[in-house]
mmCIF file of all heavy atoms in Angstrom:
data_model
loop_
_atom_site.group_PDB
_atom_site.id
_atom_site.type_symbol
_atom_site.label_atom_id
_atom_site.label_comp_id
_atom_site.label_asym_id
_atom_site.label_seq_id
_atom_site.Cartn_x
_atom_site.Cartn_y
_atom_site.Cartn_z
ATOM 1 N N GLY A 1 -6.775 3.690 -5.184
ATOM 2 C CA GLY A 1 -5.426 4.041 -4.863
ATOM 3 C C GLY A 1 -5.382 5.255 -3.986
ATOM 4 O O GLY A 1 -6.282 5.495 -3.164
ATOM 5 N N LEU A 2 -4.366 6.075 -4.164
ATOM 6 C CA LEU A 2 -4.182 7.243 -3.331
ATOM 7 C C LEU A 2 -5.332 8.222 -3.439
ATOM 8 O O LEU A 2 -5.635 8.957 -2.512
ATOM 9 C CB LEU A 2 -2.872 7.951 -3.680
ATOM 10 C CG LEU A 2 -1.592 7.203 -3.346
ATOM 11 C CD1 LEU A 2 -0.380 8.038 -3.811
ATOM 12 C CD2 LEU A 2 -1.496 6.910 -1.874
ATOM 13 N N ARG A 3 -6.011 8.252 -4.605
ATOM 14 C CA ARG A 3 -7.120 9.186 -4.771
ATOM 15 C C ARG A 3 -8.281 8.938 -3.827
ATOM 16 O O ARG A 3 -9.118 9.793 -3.611
ATOM 17 C CB ARG A 3 -7.600 9.159 -6.226
ATOM 18 C CG ARG A 3 -8.262 7.830 -6.643
ATOM 19 C CD ARG A 3 -8.738 7.889 -8.083
ATOM 20 N NE ARG A 3 -9.415 6.666 -8.470
ATOM 21 C CZ ARG A 3 -8.791 5.569 -8.891
ATOM 22 N NH1 ARG A 3 -7.461 5.590 -8.996
ATOM 23 N NH2 ARG A 3 -9.460 4.480 -9.219
ATOM 24 N N ASP A 4 -8.321 7.721 -3.281
ATOM 25 C CA ASP A 4 -9.425 7.365 -2.356
ATOM 26 C C ASP A 4 -9.164 7.817 -0.923
ATOM 27 O O ASP A 4 -10.052 7.755 -0.070
ATOM 28 C CB ASP A 4 -9.653 5.847 -2.360
ATOM 29 C CG ASP A 4 -10.029 5.324 -3.761
ATOM 30 O OD1 ASP A 4 -11.052 5.796 -4.272
ATOM 31 O OD2 ASP A 4 -9.295 4.484 -4.293
ATOM 32 N N LEU A 5 -7.948 8.261 -0.659
ATOM 33 C CA LEU A 5 -7.636 8.632 0.715
ATOM 34 C C LEU A 5 -8.207 10.016 1.057
ATOM 35 O O LEU A 5 -8.346 10.881 0.188
ATOM 36 C CB LEU A 5 -6.104 8.705 0.886
ATOM 37 C CG LEU A 5 -5.339 7.394 0.701
ATOM 38 C CD1 LEU A 5 -3.874 7.611 1.007
ATOM 39 C CD2 LEU A 5 -5.906 6.285 1.593
ATOM 40 N N THR A 6 -8.545 10.167 2.328
ATOM 41 C CA THR A 6 -9.019 11.453 2.836
ATOM 42 C C THR A 6 -8.183 11.819 4.065
ATOM 43 O O THR A 6 -7.570 10.958 4.698
ATOM 44 C CB THR A 6 -10.488 11.409 3.245
ATOM 45 O OG1 THR A 6 -10.639 10.498 4.358
ATOM 46 C CG2 THR A 6 -11.377 10.964 2.092
ATOM 47 N N ARG A 7 -8.164 13.108 4.377
ATOM 48 C CA ARG A 7 -7.429 13.530 5.570
ATOM 49 C C ARG A 7 -7.974 12.861 6.830
ATOM 50 O O ARG A 7 -7.213 12.392 7.672
ATOM 51 C CB ARG A 7 -7.494 15.050 5.713
ATOM 52 C CG ARG A 7 -6.731 15.568 6.920
ATOM 53 C CD ARG A 7 -6.894 17.055 7.113
ATOM 54 N NE ARG A 7 -6.099 17.525 8.235
ATOM 55 C CZ ARG A 7 -6.457 17.420 9.499
ATOM 56 N NH1 ARG A 7 -7.609 16.859 9.825
ATOM 57 N NH2 ARG A 7 -5.644 17.851 10.450
ATOM 58 N N ASP A 8 -9.306 12.825 6.960
ATOM 59 C CA ASP A 8 -9.899 12.196 8.143
ATOM 60 C C ASP A 8 -9.509 10.749 8.293
ATOM 61 O O ASP A 8 -9.269 10.262 9.404
ATOM 62 C CB ASP A 8 -11.432 12.315 8.092
ATOM 63 C CG ASP A 8 -11.926 13.749 8.345
ATOM 64 O OD1 ASP A 8 -11.117 14.544 8.850
ATOM 65 O OD2 ASP A 8 -13.100 14.008 8.049
ATOM 66 N N ALA A 9 -9.422 10.045 7.164
ATOM 67 C CA ALA A 9 -9.047 8.596 7.207
ATOM 68 C C ALA A 9 -7.592 8.453 7.651
ATOM 69 O O ALA A 9 -7.234 7.562 8.421
ATOM 70 C CB ALA A 9 -9.259 7.984 5.856
ATOM 71 N N VAL A 10 -6.708 9.351 7.163
ATOM 72 C CA VAL A 10 -5.289 9.268 7.537
ATOM 73 C C VAL A 10 -5.148 9.589 9.047
ATOM 74 O O VAL A 10 -4.405 8.888 9.753
ATOM 75 C CB VAL A 10 -4.456 10.237 6.705
ATOM 76 C CG1 VAL A 10 -3.024 10.308 7.219
ATOM 77 C CG2 VAL A 10 -4.443 9.799 5.242
ATOM 78 N N ILE A 11 -5.838 10.618 9.510
ATOM 79 C CA ILE A 11 -5.780 10.961 10.939
ATOM 80 C C ILE A 11 -6.313 9.816 11.792
ATOM 81 O O ILE A 11 -5.739 9.471 12.839
ATOM 82 C CB ILE A 11 -6.588 12.256 11.229
ATOM 83 C CG1 ILE A 11 -5.942 13.464 10.519
ATOM 84 C CG2 ILE A 11 -6.711 12.493 12.715
ATOM 85 C CD1 ILE A 11 -4.579 13.827 11.044
ATOM 86 N N ALA A 12 -7.402 9.199 11.352
ATOM 87 C CA ALA A 12 -7.967 8.061 12.088
ATOM 88 C C ALA A 12 -7.014 6.880 12.120
ATOM 89 O O ALA A 12 -6.883 6.179 13.130
ATOM 90 C CB ALA A 12 -9.305 7.649 11.469
ATOM 91 N N ALA A 13 -6.325 6.659 10.990
ATOM 92 C CA ALA A 13 -5.345 5.554 10.932
ATOM 93 C C ALA A 13 -4.195 5.797 11.871
ATOM 94 O O ALA A 13 -3.721 4.891 12.586
ATOM 95 C CB ALA A 13 -4.828 5.401 9.517
ATOM 96 N N MET A 14 -3.707 7.059 11.970
ATOM 97 C CA MET A 14 -2.621 7.356 12.905
ATOM 98 C C MET A 14 -3.078 7.176 14.357
ATOM 99 O O MET A 14 -2.306 6.706 15.177
ATOM 100 C CB MET A 14 -2.103 8.767 12.640
ATOM 101 C CG MET A 14 -1.401 8.888 11.289
ATOM 102 S SD MET A 14 -0.480 10.457 11.067
ATOM 103 C CE MET A 14 -1.825 11.650 11.153
ATOM 104 N N ALA A 15 -4.305 7.578 14.636
ATOM 105 C CA ALA A 15 -4.816 7.425 16.003
ATOM 106 C C ALA A 15 -4.909 5.969 16.380
ATOM 107 O O ALA A 15 -4.555 5.566 17.516
ATOM 108 C CB ALA A 15 -6.187 8.092 16.129
ATOM 109 N N GLU A 16 -5.354 5.130 15.434
ATOM 110 C CA GLU A 16 -5.438 3.688 15.670
ATOM 111 C C GLU A 16 -4.036 3.074 15.829
ATOM 112 O O GLU A 16 -3.826 2.175 16.655
ATOM 113 C CB GLU A 16 -6.211 3.011 14.554
ATOM 114 C CG GLU A 16 -6.473 1.523 14.850
ATOM 115 C CD GLU A 16 -7.328 0.874 13.757
ATOM 116 O OE1 GLU A 16 -7.570 1.507 12.708
ATOM 117 O OE2 GLU A 16 -7.725 -0.292 13.972
ATOM 118 N N HIS A 17 -3.099 3.576 15.047
ATOM 119 C CA HIS A 17 -1.718 3.144 15.147
ATOM 120 C C HIS A 17 -1.178 3.430 16.531
ATOM 121 O O HIS A 17 -0.508 2.584 17.150
ATOM 122 C CB HIS A 17 -0.883 3.861 14.070
ATOM 123 C CG HIS A 17 0.550 3.480 14.048
ATOM 124 N ND1 HIS A 17 1.480 3.940 14.985
ATOM 125 C CD2 HIS A 17 1.266 2.698 13.196
ATOM 126 C CE1 HIS A 17 2.656 3.461 14.712
ATOM 127 N NE2 HIS A 17 2.567 2.696 13.639
ATOM 128 N N ASP A 18 -1.476 4.611 17.086
ATOM 129 C CA ASP A 18 -1.046 4.949 18.433
ATOM 130 C C ASP A 18 -1.602 3.998 19.478
ATOM 131 O O ASP A 18 -0.928 3.606 20.417
ATOM 132 C CB ASP A 18 -1.488 6.384 18.796
ATOM 133 C CG ASP A 18 -0.700 7.446 18.028
ATOM 134 O OD1 ASP A 18 0.372 7.096 17.503
ATOM 135 O OD2 ASP A 18 -1.185 8.583 17.960
ATOM 136 N N GLU A 19 -2.867 3.636 19.269
ATOM 137 C CA GLU A 19 -3.538 2.790 20.241
ATOM 138 C C GLU A 19 -3.063 1.335 20.189
ATOM 139 O O GLU A 19 -2.845 0.686 21.201
ATOM 140 C CB GLU A 19 -5.060 2.827 20.013
ATOM 141 C CG GLU A 19 -5.869 2.063 21.037
ATOM 142 C CD GLU A 19 -7.354 2.241 20.847
ATOM 143 O OE1 GLU A 19 -7.787 3.118 20.081
ATOM 144 O OE2 GLU A 19 -8.138 1.480 21.484
ATOM 145 N N LEU A 20 -2.875 0.819 18.962
ATOM 146 C CA LEU A 20 -2.503 -0.590 18.823
ATOM 147 C C LEU A 20 -0.987 -0.825 18.876
ATOM 148 O O LEU A 20 -0.529 -1.902 19.272
ATOM 149 C CB LEU A 20 -3.008 -1.123 17.450
ATOM 150 C CG LEU A 20 -4.529 -1.172 17.247
ATOM 151 C CD1 LEU A 20 -4.835 -1.680 15.853
ATOM 152 C CD2 LEU A 20 -5.199 -2.026 18.306
ATOM 153 N N GLY A 21 -0.194 0.178 18.497
ATOM 154 C CA GLY A 21 1.230 -0.041 18.315
ATOM 155 C C GLY A 21 1.488 -0.516 16.874
ATOM 156 O O GLY A 21 0.601 -1.072 16.211
ATOM 157 N N GLN A 22 2.713 -0.329 16.369
ATOM 158 C CA GLN A 22 2.998 -0.583 14.979
ATOM 159 C C GLN A 22 2.829 -2.055 14.614
ATOM 160 O O GLN A 22 2.238 -2.364 13.546
ATOM 161 C CB GLN A 22 4.428 -0.159 14.619
ATOM 162 C CG GLN A 22 4.780 -0.427 13.143
ATOM 163 C CD GLN A 22 6.017 0.266 12.697
ATOM 164 O OE1 GLN A 22 6.023 1.496 12.576
ATOM 165 N NE2 GLN A 22 7.102 -0.468 12.451
ATOM 166 N N ARG A 23 3.249 -2.965 15.456
ATOM 167 C CA ARG A 23 3.181 -4.373 15.084
ATOM 168 C C ARG A 23 1.757 -4.855 14.902
ATOM 169 O O ARG A 23 1.422 -5.463 13.876
ATOM 170 C CB ARG A 23 3.879 -5.228 16.179
ATOM 171 C CG ARG A 23 3.908 -6.712 15.847
ATOM 172 C CD ARG A 23 4.690 -7.469 16.906
ATOM 173 N NE ARG A 23 6.065 -7.051 16.981
ATOM 174 C CZ ARG A 23 6.966 -7.518 17.835
ATOM 175 N NH1 ARG A 23 6.602 -8.475 18.712
ATOM 176 N NH2 ARG A 23 8.186 -7.091 17.845
ATOM 177 N N LYS A 24 0.884 -4.545 15.872
ATOM 178 C CA LYS A 24 -0.526 -4.970 15.753
ATOM 179 C C LYS A 24 -1.225 -4.257 14.600
ATOM 180 O O LYS A 24 -2.080 -4.824 13.923
ATOM 181 C CB LYS A 24 -1.252 -4.716 17.066
ATOM 182 C CG LYS A 24 -0.803 -5.637 18.202
ATOM 183 C CD LYS A 24 -1.626 -5.371 19.461
ATOM 184 C CE LYS A 24 -1.198 -6.309 20.592
ATOM 185 N NZ LYS A 24 -1.987 -6.044 21.838
ATOM 186 N N PHE A 25 -0.883 -2.959 14.423
ATOM 187 C CA PHE A 25 -1.513 -2.203 13.361
ATOM 188 C C PHE A 25 -1.154 -2.796 11.977
ATOM 189 O O PHE A 25 -2.015 -2.987 11.115
ATOM 190 C CB PHE A 25 -1.063 -0.737 13.444
ATOM 191 C CG PHE A 25 -1.720 0.167 12.439
ATOM 192 C CD1 PHE A 25 -2.943 0.739 12.691
ATOM 193 C CD2 PHE A 25 -1.102 0.425 11.211
ATOM 194 C CE1 PHE A 25 -3.573 1.590 11.769
ATOM 195 C CE2 PHE A 25 -1.709 1.278 10.283
ATOM 196 C CZ PHE A 25 -2.933 1.858 10.558
ATOM 197 N N CYS A 26 0.128 -3.114 11.791
ATOM 198 C CA CYS A 26 0.581 -3.704 10.519
ATOM 199 C C CYS A 26 -0.089 -5.039 10.268
ATOM 200 O O CYS A 26 -0.477 -5.383 9.137
ATOM 201 C CB CYS A 26 2.083 -3.818 10.494
ATOM 202 S SG CYS A 26 2.968 -2.253 10.363
ATOM 203 N N ARG A 27 -0.213 -5.825 11.337
ATOM 204 C CA ARG A 27 -0.846 -7.151 11.226
ATOM 205 C C ARG A 27 -2.332 -6.994 10.821
ATOM 206 O O ARG A 27 -2.833 -7.734 9.984
ATOM 207 C CB ARG A 27 -0.716 -7.906 12.542
ATOM 208 C CG ARG A 27 -1.173 -9.361 12.428
ATOM 209 C CD ARG A 27 -1.098 -10.070 13.760
ATOM 210 N NE ARG A 27 0.251 -10.007 14.312
ATOM 211 C CZ ARG A 27 0.540 -9.543 15.512
ATOM 212 N NH1 ARG A 27 -0.421 -9.087 16.296
ATOM 213 N NH2 ARG A 27 1.789 -9.529 15.925
ATOM 214 N N LYS A 28 -3.007 -6.017 11.436
ATOM 215 C CA LYS A 28 -4.427 -5.827 11.137
ATOM 216 C C LYS A 28 -4.654 -5.472 9.681
ATOM 217 O O LYS A 28 -5.607 -5.944 9.036
ATOM 218 C CB LYS A 28 -4.996 -4.743 12.036
ATOM 219 C CG LYS A 28 -6.466 -4.425 11.771
ATOM 220 C CD LYS A 28 -7.043 -3.413 12.743
ATOM 221 C CE LYS A 28 -8.484 -3.098 12.421
ATOM 222 N NZ LYS A 28 -9.074 -2.125 13.388
ATOM 223 N N TYR A 29 -3.811 -4.631 9.138
ATOM 224 C CA TYR A 29 -4.011 -4.138 7.763
ATOM 225 C C TYR A 29 -3.094 -4.814 6.754
ATOM 226 O O TYR A 29 -2.993 -4.349 5.606
ATOM 227 C CB TYR A 29 -3.849 -2.617 7.727
ATOM 228 C CG TYR A 29 -4.958 -1.920 8.458
ATOM 229 C CD1 TYR A 29 -4.717 -1.314 9.703
ATOM 230 C CD2 TYR A 29 -6.250 -1.851 7.947
ATOM 231 C CE1 TYR A 29 -5.734 -0.666 10.383
ATOM 232 C CE2 TYR A 29 -7.269 -1.226 8.608
ATOM 233 C CZ TYR A 29 -7.006 -0.621 9.843
ATOM 234 O OH TYR A 29 -8.030 0.007 10.519
ATOM 235 N N ASP A 30 -2.422 -5.889 7.193
ATOM 236 C CA ASP A 30 -1.602 -6.690 6.309
ATOM 237 C C ASP A 30 -0.580 -5.825 5.538
ATOM 238 O O ASP A 30 -0.514 -5.875 4.297
ATOM 239 C CB ASP A 30 -2.449 -7.491 5.320
ATOM 240 C CG ASP A 30 -1.662 -8.579 4.591
ATOM 241 O OD1 ASP A 30 -0.645 -9.033 5.158
ATOM 242 O OD2 ASP A 30 -2.040 -8.942 3.476
ATOM 243 N N ALA A 31 0.129 -5.015 6.285
ATOM 244 C CA ALA A 31 1.067 -4.100 5.658
ATOM 245 C C ALA A 31 2.419 -4.166 6.340
ATOM 246 O O ALA A 31 2.498 -4.356 7.558
ATOM 247 C CB ALA A 31 0.525 -2.664 5.713
ATOM 248 N N LYS A 32 3.468 -4.031 5.561
ATOM 249 C CA LYS A 32 4.802 -4.003 6.121
ATOM 250 C C LYS A 32 5.408 -2.606 5.971
ATOM 251 O O LYS A 32 5.181 -1.932 4.960
ATOM 252 C CB LYS A 32 5.727 -4.990 5.377
ATOM 253 C CG LYS A 32 5.326 -6.458 5.573
ATOM 254 C CD LYS A 32 6.292 -7.371 4.824
ATOM 255 C CE LYS A 32 5.914 -8.847 5.048
ATOM 256 N NZ LYS A 32 6.854 -9.755 4.313
ATOM 257 N N PRO A 33 6.173 -2.144 6.982
ATOM 258 C CA PRO A 33 6.809 -0.835 6.850
ATOM 259 C C PRO A 33 7.695 -0.746 5.627
ATOM 260 O O PRO A 33 8.425 -1.689 5.304
ATOM 261 C CB PRO A 33 7.629 -0.706 8.131
ATOM 262 C CG PRO A 33 6.988 -1.658 9.113
ATOM 263 C CD PRO A 33 6.457 -2.780 8.267
ATOM 264 N N SER A 34 7.607 0.350 4.900
ATOM 265 C CA SER A 34 8.417 0.519 3.683
ATOM 266 C C SER A 34 9.758 1.111 3.961
ATOM 267 O O SER A 34 10.716 0.908 3.220
ATOM 268 C CB SER A 34 7.656 1.412 2.702
ATOM 269 O OG SER A 34 7.587 2.739 3.213
ATOM 270 N N LYS A 35 9.848 1.923 5.050
ATOM 271 C CA LYS A 35 11.066 2.607 5.461
ATOM 272 C C LYS A 35 11.574 3.567 4.399
ATOM 273 O O LYS A 35 12.737 3.938 4.374
ATOM 274 C CB LYS A 35 12.165 1.590 5.801
ATOM 275 C CG LYS A 35 11.807 0.625 6.927
ATOM 276 C CD LYS A 35 12.920 -0.326 7.254
ATOM 277 C CE LYS A 35 12.520 -1.257 8.405
ATOM 278 N NZ LYS A 35 13.574 -2.231 8.760
ATOM 279 N N GLU A 36 10.652 4.020 3.488
ATOM 280 C CA GLU A 36 11.031 4.964 2.453
ATOM 281 C C GLU A 36 10.600 6.383 2.832
ATOM 282 O O GLU A 36 11.346 7.341 2.582
ATOM 283 C CB GLU A 36 10.411 4.578 1.114
ATOM 284 C CG GLU A 36 10.924 3.263 0.552
ATOM 285 C CD GLU A 36 10.225 2.884 -0.737
ATOM 286 O OE1 GLU A 36 9.336 3.664 -1.167
ATOM 287 O OE2 GLU A 36 10.560 1.838 -1.280
ATOM 288 N N LEU A 37 9.412 6.513 3.381
ATOM 289 C CA LEU A 37 8.881 7.800 3.810
ATOM 290 C C LEU A 37 8.213 7.633 5.163
ATOM 291 O O LEU A 37 7.671 6.594 5.495
ATOM 292 C CB LEU A 37 7.845 8.340 2.806
ATOM 293 C CG LEU A 37 8.342 9.072 1.546
ATOM 294 C CD1 LEU A 37 7.132 9.464 0.725
ATOM 295 C CD2 LEU A 37 9.185 10.260 1.886
ATOM 296 N N ALA A 38 8.267 8.713 5.943
ATOM 297 C CA ALA A 38 7.616 8.724 7.257
ATOM 298 C C ALA A 38 6.773 9.994 7.395
ATOM 299 O O ALA A 38 7.175 11.070 6.925
ATOM 300 C CB ALA A 38 8.665 8.658 8.362
ATOM 301 N N ILE A 39 5.634 9.862 8.025
ATOM 302 C CA ILE A 39 4.773 11.002 8.314
ATOM 303 C C ILE A 39 5.121 11.515 9.718
ATOM 304 O O ILE A 39 5.184 10.709 10.653
ATOM 305 C CB ILE A 39 3.291 10.595 8.268
ATOM 306 C CG1 ILE A 39 2.930 10.077 6.863
ATOM 307 C CG2 ILE A 39 2.392 11.800 8.620
ATOM 308 C CD1 ILE A 39 1.535 9.471 6.774
#
């Protein structure tokens, strides 16, 4: 769960999000926007 996350992993995920765009990024990781919190 959340305990497995690291700062480097979150930063890397955001960088990949920038490169792919939200739609492709969500498709790659099988995730839907929650619209509850934003970084």
